[in-house]
Amino acid sequence: MADMKQSFESGQAEAQLHDQAGHAAGAVHDTAAAAADSGQMQAHRAAETVQEAGEHATQAAADAATAAAESAANAAAAATDAAADAVGAIAGAAGAQ
């Protein structure tokens, strides 16, 4: 009878160990899955940040090109006006003689 009781208790202890090991393995799995998800989220956020920075840089370059083109157009218009004024002045001086 003592052997049966000892065998039963041994089986019960083994079952508890298997149950605890299963819970521990599940906890490790859950922790690893959470870490993997977190890493993927961080990589995704980093990719979005790089993409946004690229878009901002592209927009800044486009704005700078537009400003440069407008500045060049304004300089050309000013030069044209100055040349017209000079021609007018020369014509006026020639007519006064």
Side-chain angles (χ1 to χ4, degrees):
M1 186 71 122
D3 286 340
M4 285 180 76
K5 183 178 180 185
Q6 187 177 14
S7 177
F8 175 75
E9 289 174 354
S10 175
Q12 198 174 28
E14 187 176 343
Q16 287 176 345
L17 285 174
H18 281 289
D19 187 48
Q20 289 174 352
H23 285 297
V28 168
H29 177 268
D30 292 346
T31 301
D37 288 346
S38 177
Q40 288 175 346
M41 288 177 59
Q42 288 176 355
H44 182 69
R45 286 186 191 132
E48 285 179 343
T49 300
V50 169
Q51 181 178 358
E52 288 174 7
E55 289 170 358
H56 288 296
T58 301
Q59 186 60 48
D63 291 346
T66 300
E70 289 174 357
S71 180
N74 289 340
T80 301
D81 290 345
D85 290 347
V87 169
I90 293 171
Q97 285 181 346

